[in-house]
C-alpha cells in the first residue's frame, strides 16, 4: 500500500494513477472533498475526515436548535464551493430551507448585505481565516451580530487567528474591538484531532496518554493537527495486512502476502476489502471507513470572550450529537431564531378607553331621555305646544340614535368575529346617517313651518299640522334610505385588513410585530361618502337659510333660529375637524375612535341642549313671556312692482287651532261692527246731502285738496294690521267706493254748487269726526279719546304728509 499524501493536488494525481498499479493508498491529511469520488479514486482511503464530513454534523446541529432556514456565504475557491454544494445536497429533503446562497471573491460586504436583506439569521460560512476577518467586519457594519444572528464557520483556522489578521481588518475601518464584537458567539466546526474519551485504544494507550507521549517526543517541534490520524493510519495498515494474511491463510490457494505483485488483482482485491472492514478505536476515535471516507468525530467550538471553547461533538458512526452542558452560550436569553418571527397583531381599541367613552355616551342618552320625559310631560303647556312637541321627540330620537352609533364604532376584532364586524360596518353607518337626518330634519321642518306661516301672507289662514312635518322628515329619511340601499346593493362595505411595517417588540423579544388594522371599506368609498356628505351639506344649508329667514320672528316659543344657527355652526365645525383628524389618525385606532366618539357626543349634546335647555329655563321662570308679543315681522326682497306696497298683518298662532278659531271669531265680530258703522255713516251722509242723488263724483282737480284734508297724523302711523283690514273692507264693498271718471262723463247738473268747496267742507266737517271717533279705533287707528279731528281742511301745508300716490275715499264708506 501507499501511505501518505498531504497536498490535495499531489494526492489526487497519485490516487488516480494507483488503480493501474493495483495499490491501495491511505492518506492522513488530505481533506479535499474531491478525493471522495470513488469512481475516480476507488483505491483511495484516508483516516482524516473529509471537509464534507462536517455537513452531517451541521445538519444535526441545525435540527437540534430547530433552525429550518439558513443562508450560505462562500468564498470563490473550489475547496469551499465543493463543501457548499455537498451541504446543499445534505440539507435537501431534510425540511431545511437555504433561503439565500451568496459567494464572493474579495469583498464580502455586498453579499453580507444581501443576506441581511433576505432576513437570513443563521449563516453557514465557508472561507479562509483571512477572509473571515473581512466578513465579520462587514457583519459589524451591517449589525448582523448579537442575539439575533448565529454564524457557523470552519473551525480549522490557526489558534488566535484573529490576532494575525486584525491589522488588515483595521485598514478597512474595522477596529479590533469591533471585530471581536462581531465574532462573539460564532460556532466553528472541524474534525476532532484526538478523542476526548478516556478509553484505551488499540495501542493499549488512552488518547490522553498518547498525547502526553507525543508532546514529550516532539521536543520543541510545532504540533500538527494530523499526528493522531497518522498514528491511527499506521494501525490501519497493520490491521489491513493482518486481515489480508488471515484471508490468504484461510483460502485454498495457499498464497502468501509476500507473493503480491502489481498485476495480481486478486490479492489487490483482498487488501482492498480488508481496508474497508477496518473498525477499531484509535486515538482519534472510532476508525471506520464508509466508501473510503473516515467516519470520524466532529467537534463544535464557540468563540467566547476572545477564546474558542469546545461546546459539543458529533459522532459520525453513531450519528449522535452531544452538547456539553452549560458550555454553549447565546447572547440572548434563547438561541437565535432562524428568521424574523413576525407576530401579526391586531391593533385594538383600548378597553378602558371604550369604557370611558361608553360611560359618557350613556350619560348623554340619560340626558336625552330626561329631555324626552320633560317634553312629554309638558306637552300641553303653551310654550311646549307652540314648539311642536312631536318634532321635539324626533330630535331627541335622532340624538339617541347618534349616541347609539358610538357603541358600534368601538367594537372591533377584539370583541366580535370577522363576520360580525363586517355586519357592524353597515349597521353603524345606517344608524348614524338616519339619526343625523332625523334630528336635523325635524328641527328644520319645524322651522320651515314658522317660515311658511309668517313669510307668506296668503297662507295666514292655512293650518300646517304636524302630520305634514312628519311627511317632510319622512321624505328626508327616504332619500337617506335610497342612498344607503343603493350603496349596500351596488358596493357594500367589507372588512379589510391593512398591514403596516414591522415594529420591534416592546418587551425586547427577538420578534417583530406587524400591526394589522381593520377597516370598513369598499371599492368606491370616496364616491359614496361624497354623495352622503353632499346631501347632508345641502340639508345644513337649507337649515341655515330657514334660520336666517325666521330670525326676526318675535315669538320666542316659535323662533329657534338662533339656536339652529348655533347648532349648525358647532356641528359643521366639529364634523370638519373630526373628519380631518380621523383621516390623519386612521393607523391609530384608539385616537381615531376617541375623536369620532367625542365629535358625535359633542354634536348630539350641544344640539339637544340648545333646543331644550332654553325651553326648560323659560318654563320654570316665565312661561308666558315666550308666548306674548305675537307680532312677526319679516324682511325680504320682493319683486319691483311689490316694493312700493307695505303689507302688515296681525300674526295668528297657527300652531294652536283653538287659538286660531278665537281670533277668527274676533275678526268676524269686528267686521260686523264695521258694517254697522258703515250703515250709520251712510244714513248721516244722506241726511246731510242737499240733493236726492245717491252717487256723487268728485272732480279730478279736487283730489289733492282732499288728500291734504285727510292727512291724519295718527292714521298714517297706525299699524299695518289696521290698513289690511281697511283694505279688506274696501275690497268687499267696491260699490261704495268713489268713482273717478273722465271729465267727459261728469254730469252737467244745473245745480253745481252741491260740489262746491263750501258744500264739501260742510259735509266733511260732520263726516270726519264720525270716521275719526267711531271707525278708526276699531281697526287700530287713532285713539278714541281724541275729541277733535287731528287736522282740519285749513291746516298748514307742513302738516300735510300723505304721499300723493295714496287716494283715500271717505264718502263711499
Amino acid at each position: 500500500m501507499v501511505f501518505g499524501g498531504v497536498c490535495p493536488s499531489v494526492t489526487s494525481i497519485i490516487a488516480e494513477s494507483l488503480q493501474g498499479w493495483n495499490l491501495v493508498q491511505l492518506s492522513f491529511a488530505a481533506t479535499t472533498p474531491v478525493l471522495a469520488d470513488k469512481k475516480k479514486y476507488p483505491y483511495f482511503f484516508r483516516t482524516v475526515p473529509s471537509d464534507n464530513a462536517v455537513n452531517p454534523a451541521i445538519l444535526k446541529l441545525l435540527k437540534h436548535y430547530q433552525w429550518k432556514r439558513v443562508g450560505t456565504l462562500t468564498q470563490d475557491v473550489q475547496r469551499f464551493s465543493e463543501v457548499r454544494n455537498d451541504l446543499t445536497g445534505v440539507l435537501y429533503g431534510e425540511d431545511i430551507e437555504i433561503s439565500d446562497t451568496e459567494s464572493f471573491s474579495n469583498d464580502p460586504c455586498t453579499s453580507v448585505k444581501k443576506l441581511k436583506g433576505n432576513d437570513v439569521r443563521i449563516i453557514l460560512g465557508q472561507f479562509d481565516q483571512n477572509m473571515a476577518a473581512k466578513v465579520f467586519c462587514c457583519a459589524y457594519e451591517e449589525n448582523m451580530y448579537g442575539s439575533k444572528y448565529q454564524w457557523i464557520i470552519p473551525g480549522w483556522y490557526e489558534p488566535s487567528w484573529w490576532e494575525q489578521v486584525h491589522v488588515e481588518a483595521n485598514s478597512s475601518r474595522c477596529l479590533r474591538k469591533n471585530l471581536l464584537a462581531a465574532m462573539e458567539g460564532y460556532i466553528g466546526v472541524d474534525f476532532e484531532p484526538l478523542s476526548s474519551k478516556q478509553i484505551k485504544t488499540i495501542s493499549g494507550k488512552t488518547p490522553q496518554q498518547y498525547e502526553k507521549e507525543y508532546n514529550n517526543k516532539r521536543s520543541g517541534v510545532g504540533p500538527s493537527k494530523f499526528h493522531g490520524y497518522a498514528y491511527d493510519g499506521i494501525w490501519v495498515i497493520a490491521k489491513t495486512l493482518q486481515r489480508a494474511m488471515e484471508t490468504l491463510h484461510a483460502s485454498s490457494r495457499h498464497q502468501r502476502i509476500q507473493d503480491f505483485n502489481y498485476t495480481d488483482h486478486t490479492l489487490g482485491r483482498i487488501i482492498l476489502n480488508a481496508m474497508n472492514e477496518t473498525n477499531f478505536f484509535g486515538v482519534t476515535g472510532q476508525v471506520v471507513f464508509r466508501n473510503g471516507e473516515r467516519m470520524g468525530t466532529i467537534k463544535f467550538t464557540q468563540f467566547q470572550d476572545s477564546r474558542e471553547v469546545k461546546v459539543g461533538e458529533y459522532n459520525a458512526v453513531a450519528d449522535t450529537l452531544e452538547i456539553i452542558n452549560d458550555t454553549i452560550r447565546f447572547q440572548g436569553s434563547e438561541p437565535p431564531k432562524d428568521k424574523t418571527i413576525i407576530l401579526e397583531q391586531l391593533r385594538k381599541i383600548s378597553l378602558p378607553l371604550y369604557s370611558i367613552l361608553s360611560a359618557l355616551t350613556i350619560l348623554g342618552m340619560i340626558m336625552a331621555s330626561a329631555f324626552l320625559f320633560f317634553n312629554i310631560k309638558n306637552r300641553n303647556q303653551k310654550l311646549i305646544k307652540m314648539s311642536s312637541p312631536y318634532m321635539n321627540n324626533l330630535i331627541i330620537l335622532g340624538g339617541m340614535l347618534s349616541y347609539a352609533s358610538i357603541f358600534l364604532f368601538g367594537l372591533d376584532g377584539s370583541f366580535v368575529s370577522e363576520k360580525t364586524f363586517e355586519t357592524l360596518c353597515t349597521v353603524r353607518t345606517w344608524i348614524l346617517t338616519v339619526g343625523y337626518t332625523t334630528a336635523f330634519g325635524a328641527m328644520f321642518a319645524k322651522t320651515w313651518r314658522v317660515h311658511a306661516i309668517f313669510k307668506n301672507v296668503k297662507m295666514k289662514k292655512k293650518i300646517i299640522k304636524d302630520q305634514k312635518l312628519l311627511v317632510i322628515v319622512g321624505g328626508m329619511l327616504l332619500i337617506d334610505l335610497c342612498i344607503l340601499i343603493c350603496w349596500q346593493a351596488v358596493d357594500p362595505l367589507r372588512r379589510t385588513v391593512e398591514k403596516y411595517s414591522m415594529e420591534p417588540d416592546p418587551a425586547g423579544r427577538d420578534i417583530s410585530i406587524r400591526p394589522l388594522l381593520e377597516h370598513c371599506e369598499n371599492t368606491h368609498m370616496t364616491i359614496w361618502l361624497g354623495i352622503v356628505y353632499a346631501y347632508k351639506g345641502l340639508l345644513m344649508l337649507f337649515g341655515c337659510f330657514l334660520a336666517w329667514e325666521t330670525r326676526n320672528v318675535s315669538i320666542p316659543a316659535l323662533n329657534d333660529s338662533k339656536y339652529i344657527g348655533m347648532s349648525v355652526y358647532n356641528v359643521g365645525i366639529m364634523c370638519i375637524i373630526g373628519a380631518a383628524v380621523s383621516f390623519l389618525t386612521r393607523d391609530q385606532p384608539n385616537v381615531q375612535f376617541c375623536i369620532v366618539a367625542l365629535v358625535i357626543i359633542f354634536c348630539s349634546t350641544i344640539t339637544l341642549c340648545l333646543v331644550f335647555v332654553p325651553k326648560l329655563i323659560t318654563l320654570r321662570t316665565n312661561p308666558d313671556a315666550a308666548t306674548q308679543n305675537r307680532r312677526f315681522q319679516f324682511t325680504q326682497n320682493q319683486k319691483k312692482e311689490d316694493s312700493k306696497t307695505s303689507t302688515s298683518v296681525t300674526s295668528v298662532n297657527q300652531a294652536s287651532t283653538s287659538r286660531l278659531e278665537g281670533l277668527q271669531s274676533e275678526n268676524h265680530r269686528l267686521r260686523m261692527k264695521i258694517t254697522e258703522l258703515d250703515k250709520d255713516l251712510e244714513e248721516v251722509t244722506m241726511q246731510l246731502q242737499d240733493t236726492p242723488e245717491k252717487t256723487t263724483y268728485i272732480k279730478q282737480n279736487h283730489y289733492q285738496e282732499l288728500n291734504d284734508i285727510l292727512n291724519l297724523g295718527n292714521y298714517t302711523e297706525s299699524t299695518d294690521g289696521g290698513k289690511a283690514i281697511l283694505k279688506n273692507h274696501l275690497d268687499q264693498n267696491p260699490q261704495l267706493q268713489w268713482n273717478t271718471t273722465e271729465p267727459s262723463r261728469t254730469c252737467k247738473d244745473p245745480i253745481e254748487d252741491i260740489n262746491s268747496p263750501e258744500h264739501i267742507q260742510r259735509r266733511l266737517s260732520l263726516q270726519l269726526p264720525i270716521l275719526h271717533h267711531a271707525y278708526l279705533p276699531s281697526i287700530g287707528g287713532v285713539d278714541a279719546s281724541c275729541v277733535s279731528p287731528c287736522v282740519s281742511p285749513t291746516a298748514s301745508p307742513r302738516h300735510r304728509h300723505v304721499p300723493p300716490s295714496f287716494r283715500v275715499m271717505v264718502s263711499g264708506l
Side-chain angles (χ1 to χ4, degrees):
M1 293 189 295
V2 175
F3 181 64
V6 177
C7 180
S9 58
V10 175
T11 304
S12 60
I13 295 175
I14 295 175
E16 189 175 5
S17 62
L18 287 182
Q19 184 177 1
W21 296 89
N22 198 26
L23 287 175
V24 174
Q25 180 183 2
L26 179 64
S27 174
F28 59 88
T31 60
T32 176
V34 176
L35 298 173
D37 187 359
K38 301 310 295 181
K39 291 182 179 181
K40 191 174 183 180
Y41 311 106
Y43 284 82
F44 178 80
F45 292 83
R46 48 188 168 189
T47 55
V48 61
S50 167
D51 291 338
N52 288 343
V54 299
N55 291 335
I58 293 175
L59 173 62
K60 206 71 175 179
L61 181 68
L62 296 177
K63 288 185 175 181
H64 179 77
Y65 289 107
Q66 298 181 355
W67 291 328
K68 297 183 178 181
R69 187 175 181 271
V70 299
T72 61
L73 181 62
T74 308
Q75 184 180 355
D76 283 336
V77 176
Q78 181 180 3
R79 175 184 180 184
F80 302 122
S81 298
E82 291 173 350
V83 176
R84 190 268 316 279
N85 294 337
D86 183 75
L87 177 63
T88 301
V90 171
L91 298 181
Y92 181 77
E94 294 292 339
D95 197 22
I96 295 179
E97 173 192 359
I98 300 179
S99 60
D100 192 14
T101 300
E102 298 292 334
S103 60
F104 64 94
S105 297
N106 188 35
D107 184 11
C109 289
T110 302
S111 299
V112 171
K113 189 174 183 179
K114 290 182 179 179
L115 289 173
K116 182 179 180 180
N118 289 325
D119 192 33
V120 175
R121 298 289 196 89
I122 311 300
I123 303 101
L124 307 180
Q126 286 293 331
F127 35 77
D128 59 33
Q129 63 187 29
N130 293 324
M131 286 296 176
K134 294 183 178 180
V135 168
F136 283 112
C137 285
C138 295
Y140 181 83
E141 293 178 0
E142 296 294 335
N143 200 29
M144 289 184 65
Y145 66 95
S147 60
K148 296 182 179 181
Y149 295 90
Q150 182 61 60
W151 289 84
I152 300 176
I153 63 175
W156 43 261
Y157 300 159
E158 295 292 333
S160 302
W161 61 270
W162 55 91
E163 299 288 349
Q164 305 173 20
V165 299
H166 80 275
V167 177
E168 183 179 356
N170 287 337
S171 62
S172 62
R173 301 180 182 178
C174 181
L175 301 177
R176 182 176 182 274
K177 63 177 183 179
N178 299 339
L179 177 63
L180 294 177
M183 291 169 53
E184 185 68 25
Y186 81 75
I187 295 177
V189 185
D190 192 19
F191 53 82
E192 183 75 88
L194 290 175
S195 176
S196 59
K197 295 181 180 180
Q198 296 182 357
I199 301 176
K200 287 187 177 182
T201 65
I202 192 174
S203 63
K205 302 176 182 179
T206 63
Q208 292 75 24
Q209 292 174 341
Y210 160 78
E211 184 178 20
K212 183 178 180 181
E213 184 178 354
Y214 169 74
N215 291 332
N216 291 335
K217 289 188 177 182
R218 64 186 177 88
S219 63
V221 179
S224 171
K225 62 183 298 184
F226 300 105
H227 65 86
Y229 294 99
Y231 182 80
D232 283 343
I234 298 299
W235 280 99
V236 169
I237 293 175
K239 294 294 292 183
T240 299
L241 293 177
Q242 182 182 8
R243 279 192 297 276
M245 292 171 64
E246 293 175 355
T247 301
L248 291 175
H249 180 73
S251 65
S252 58
R253 296 175 59 185
H254 303 289
Q255 188 177 10
R256 301 180 303 168
I257 194 71
Q258 294 87 343
D259 297 334
F260 173 82
N261 58 63
Y262 301 121
T263 60
D264 190 351
H265 295 284
T266 302
L267 185 55
R269 178 62 60 180
I270 291 174
I271 295 175
L272 182 62
N273 293 335
M275 181 72 77
N276 282 321
E277 294 175 359
T278 300
N279 190 355
F280 65 87
F281 184 78
V283 295
T284 59
Q286 195 71 24
V287 181
V288 179
F289 297 108
R290 183 176 300 170
N291 294 327
E293 295 294 311
R294 167 73 186 273
M295 304 297 294
T297 302
I298 305 300
K299 70 172 181 177
F300 295 95
T301 58
Q302 188 179 38
F303 188 77
Q304 301 176 1
D305 300 328
S306 301
R307 63 189 183 93
E308 291 183 331
V309 178
K310 182 179 178 180
V311 295
E313 64 179 29
Y314 169 73
N315 188 337
V317 178
D319 191 25
T320 57
L321 174 66
E322 180 182 358
I323 301 297
I324 301 175
N325 295 332
D326 301 328
T327 54
I328 191 167
R329 289 188 321 196
F330 296 105
Q331 298 187 54
S333 59
E334 57 183 359
K337 305 297 181 181
D338 57 3
K339 61 181 178 181
T340 300
I341 303 300
I342 301 176
L343 180 61
E344 293 187 344
Q345 190 176 79
L346 184 65
R347 287 184 174 177
K348 306 174 182 178
I349 295 176
S350 172
L351 184 59
L353 176 64
Y354 182 76
S355 302
I356 293 173
L357 293 177
S358 297
L360 292 177
T361 304
I362 293 174
L363 292 177
M365 298 183 76
I366 293 175
M367 179 196 69
S369 301
F371 287 150
L372 180 63
F373 175 77
F374 164 78
N375 191 67
I376 295 175
K377 181 180 178 181
N378 299 281
R379 65 186 181 276
N380 293 323
Q381 293 285 340
K382 185 184 297 183
L383 172 65
I384 302 302
K385 197 170 185 179
M386 293 177 66
S387 66
S388 302
Y390 292 109
M391 294 296 102
N392 293 340
N393 292 340
L394 287 180
I395 295 174
I396 296 173
L397 176 61
M400 296 189 73
L401 287 175
S402 300
Y403 281 129
S405 65
I406 297 176
F407 297 110
L408 303 181
F409 275 104
L411 296 177
D412 56 10
S414 60
F415 299 101
V416 297
S417 62
E418 296 181 3
K419 186 176 181 180
T420 305
F421 180 83
E422 191 166 292
T423 303
L424 290 177
C425 290
T426 303
V427 174
R428 69 191 189 186
T429 303
W430 282 55
I431 290 179
L432 182 60
T433 304
V434 172
Y436 176 92
T437 303
T438 302
F440 282 93
M443 186 186 302
F444 298 156
K446 185 173 65 170
T447 308
W448 172 83
R449 176 163 63 182
V450 177
H451 174 270
I453 293 173
F454 297 104
K455 189 62 179 175
N456 190 352
V457 178
K458 296 180 180 179
M459 295 179 61
K460 70 180 189 306
K461 294 183 180 180
K462 185 177 181 180
I463 300 174
I464 302 177
K465 297 184 178 180
D466 288 341
Q467 288 80 353
K468 187 170 183 178
L469 300 185
L470 292 175
V471 171
I472 294 175
V473 177
M476 296 179 182
L477 291 175
L478 184 61
I479 297 176
D480 266 336
L481 292 179
C482 291
I483 295 175
L484 294 174
I485 291 174
C486 292
W487 188 351
Q488 182 66 21
V490 177
D491 192 13
L493 290 171
R494 301 292 185 187
R495 175 185 179 270
T496 60
V497 178
E498 184 178 1
K499 296 184 178 181
Y500 292 88
S501 57
M502 291 184 294
E503 300 175 353
D505 180 38
R509 297 175 297 174
D510 186 19
I511 61 174
S512 294
I513 297 176
R514 184 186 296 279
L516 304 179
L517 189 57
E518 294 175 311
H519 294 294
C520 293
E521 294 180 347
N522 53 12
T523 306
H524 305 288
M525 189 71 172
T526 305
I527 297 176
W528 293 109
L529 288 179
I531 295 174
V532 174
Y533 290 159
Y535 172 55
K536 302 303 178 184
L538 292 176
L539 188 62
M540 297 286 278
L541 292 176
F542 178 66
C544 292
F545 167 76
L546 293 177
W548 175 260
E549 286 292 301
T550 59
R551 68 190 184 280
N552 292 325
V553 174
S554 58
I555 297 181
L558 297 178
N559 188 8
D560 290 335
S561 60
K562 179 175 66 175
Y563 305 121
I564 291 175
M566 295 173 62
S567 298
V568 171
Y569 175 79
N570 288 312
V571 171
I573 294 298
M574 291 302 298
C575 287
I576 293 173
I577 296 175
V581 176
S582 176
F583 178 78
L584 295 176
T585 59
R586 59 173 299 168
D587 59 335
Q588 304 176 37
N590 286 322
V591 177
Q592 187 182 43
F593 172 64
C594 183
I595 294 297
V596 172
L598 290 178
V599 167
I600 295 176
I601 292 174
F602 177 82
C603 293
S604 301
T605 303
I606 199 69
T607 300
L608 293 176
C609 289
L610 286 174
V611 172
F612 291 99
V613 171
K615 292 179 175 56
L616 190 147
I617 295 175
T618 304
L619 190 63
R620 292 180 62 88
T621 56
N622 189 8
D624 294 330
T627 58
Q628 293 173 356
N629 187 15
R630 292 181 176 81
R631 178 174 299 167
F632 292 77
Q633 298 177 352
F634 290 88
T635 303
Q636 184 180 17
N637 293 327
Q638 298 180 349
K639 297 181 180 180
K640 185 176 181 180
E641 58 270 14
D642 296 331
S643 64
K644 297 181 180 179
T645 303
S646 175
T647 307
S648 299
V649 295
T650 302
S651 61
V652 181
N653 185 5
Q654 297 292 339
S656 174
T657 304
S658 60
R659 187 69 177 173
L660 176 62
E661 292 175 354
L663 292 176
Q664 289 177 343
S665 177
E666 180 69 16
N667 181 269
H668 180 70
R669 185 184 65 80
L670 292 175
R671 289 177 182 273
M672 295 298 294
K673 186 175 181 180
I674 291 172
T675 304
E676 295 175 359
L677 291 174
D678 287 343
K679 292 179 180 180
D680 295 339
L681 181 61
E682 184 177 2
E683 292 177 0
V684 174
T685 302
M686 295 299 294
Q687 292 174 5
L688 294 175
Q689 289 180 352
D690 294 337
T691 63
E693 297 162 341
K694 297 181 180 180
T695 303
T696 61
Y697 298 91
I698 298 178
K699 295 183 179 180
Q700 185 70 25
N701 55 4
H702 294 307
Y703 285 159
Q704 183 63 42
E705 182 180 357
L706 182 60
N707 284 331
D708 293 338
I709 294 173
L710 297 179
N711 183 14
L712 305 179
N714 291 335
Y715 179 73
T716 58
E717 295 176 358
S718 62
T719 63
D720 294 342
K723 294 180 182 180
I725 295 177
L726 178 59
K727 184 177 184 299
N728 291 336
H729 178 68
L730 293 176
D731 291 341
Q732 294 172 1
N733 300 276
Q735 69 278 9
L736 299 179
Q737 296 184 8
W738 290 355
N739 295 310
T740 59
T741 60
E742 297 177 357
S744 61
R745 298 178 57 185
T746 306
C747 293
K748 302 295 182 178
D749 196 285
I751 307 174
E752 293 183 354
D753 56 352
I754 294 177
N755 291 327
S756 64
E758 292 77 7
H759 286 77
I760 293 175
Q761 184 175 357
R762 178 185 175 186
R763 289 197 299 271
L764 290 179
S765 63
L766 296 174
Q767 293 173 357
L768 287 178
I770 297 173
L771 175 64
H772 182 71
H773 293 282
Y775 178 75
L776 293 180
S778 300
I779 60 174
V782 298
D783 192 355
S785 63
C786 185
V787 297
S788 64
C790 295
V791 293
S792 64
T794 60
S796 61
R798 65 187 182 91
H799 294 292
R800 301 169 185 171
H801 192 59
V802 178
S805 60
F806 289 95
R807 299 290 182 265
V808 181
M809 305 168 193
V810 178
S811 297
L813 297 176

